[in-house]
Amino acid sequence: EAQVTQNPRYLITVTGKKLTVTCSQNMNHEYMSWYRQDPGLGLRQIYYSMNVEVTDKGDVPEGYKVSRKEKRNFPLILESPSPNQTSLYFCASSLRRPQTINYGYTFGSGTRLTVV
Amino acid sequence: GQQLNQSPQSMFIQEGEDVSMNCTSSSIFNTWLWYKQEPGEGPVLLIALYKAGELTSNGRLTAQFGITRKDSFLNISASIPSDVGIYFCAGQLGYNNNDMRFGAGTRLTVKP
């Protein structure tokens, strides 16, 4: 089944303790992205990657890191989490190349992170 | 980045009623997408629109790409309880960049 898999689904952690949320897709998509979802704010992009070893900041990158060493994986790293990073996180991927139609994203099921 | 204004923020309707929601922006988009998010899941693509004026249906859902390219509409006819969820619009500004923007969502509640 074509899908984007995120882990963990739920995570409670303490301020300052480094964590990684994994994301993997099995559709050979070039494009991957991380979003956070907060009430009333919709989906805001954190980082994205157009292909392996190519990453760039989205709208709200502060406090986050990403890497794209392989096409299928795009982990989100919080080096020193803070309570304002408590949110619902989504990874998404897309078959998309420059100057072609955007076919829309496939989203993972989400990771609910609480930082206390 | 450019804002998408999605309205209404929430809707409470009776089963069988029709639903309309829309997204507007001050910017011109070349793609409009509509997603549905059910509780505990990620958004799922419902309809994609690629041309101004385009009208596309997916079952009881119909979406339109506004003529001005600054807005889009989603209609749901004869709503049923499983239509419950959050509906997001998304607009793509250009082909050669990453400028996809999401609306804040419309939360739909359907009473049986």
Side-chain angles (χ1 to χ4, degrees), chain A residues 25-62:
Chain A
Q25 50 92 6
N26 61 1
M27 296 166 281
N28 203 35
H29 284 170
E30 292 87 5
Y31 180 90
M32 297 184 76
S33 182
W34 276 103
Y35 288 86
R36 60 178 289 173
Q37 183 179 20
D38 302 290
L41 296 177
L43 292 159
R44 294 181 294 167
Q45 191 178 51
I46 302 170
Y47 267 95
Y48 67 95
S49 170
M50 298 293 279
N51 215 324
V52 175
E53 302 291 4
V54 180
T55 64
D56 211 343
K57 297 177 180 178
D59 293 322
V60 288
E62 293 76 22

Side-chain angles (χ1 to χ4, degrees), chain B:
Chain B
Q2 289 80 1
Q3 290 288 89
L4 284 187
N5 300 307
Q6 186 171 350
S7 65
Q9 204 169 29
S10 61
M11 302 181 76
F12 295 83
I13 62 169
Q14 206 71 37
E15 182 176 1
E17 289 183 7
D18 296 343
V19 172
S20 289
M21 59 191 78
N22 69 80
C23 263
T24 61
S25 174
S26 56
S27 299
I28 291 174
F29 290 90
N30 61 27
T31 302
W32 283 97
L33 305 166
W34 284 92
Y35 289 85
K36 178 188 179 187
Q37 182 182 18
E38 298 191 3
E41 297 298 328
V44 173
L45 184 65
L46 298 172
I47 293 178
L49 302 158
Y50 301 110
K51 288 192 326 188
E54 181 180 355
L55 189 70
T56 298
S57 293
N58 178 3
R60 292 176 296 105
L61 277 61
T62 302
Q64 183 162 25
F65 194 138
I67 288 290
T68 64
R69 296 172 63 195
K70 295 181 179 181
D71 55 12
S72 180
F73 307 87
L74 176 70
N75 296 315
I76 305 173
S77 62
S79 58
I80 59 178
S82 63
D83 289 335
V84 163
I86 303 175
Y87 292 80
F88 289 99
C89 63
Q92 175 73 27
L93 283 164
Y95 295 122
N96 204 21
N97 58 48
N98 179 61
D99 227 349
M100 172 81 78
R101 289 291 176 267
F102 284 86
T106 295
R107 185 180 293 273
L108 178 64
T109 302
V110 181
K111 292 180 280 189

Side-chain angles (χ1 to χ4, degrees), chain A residues 65-78:
Chain A
K65 284 173 57 177
V66 293
S67 69
R68 188 91 183 273
K69 293 184 170 56
E70 311 161 275
K71 198 172 190 179
R72 62 183 291 126
N73 295 323
F74 190 44
L76 179 69
I77 303 153
L78 284 72

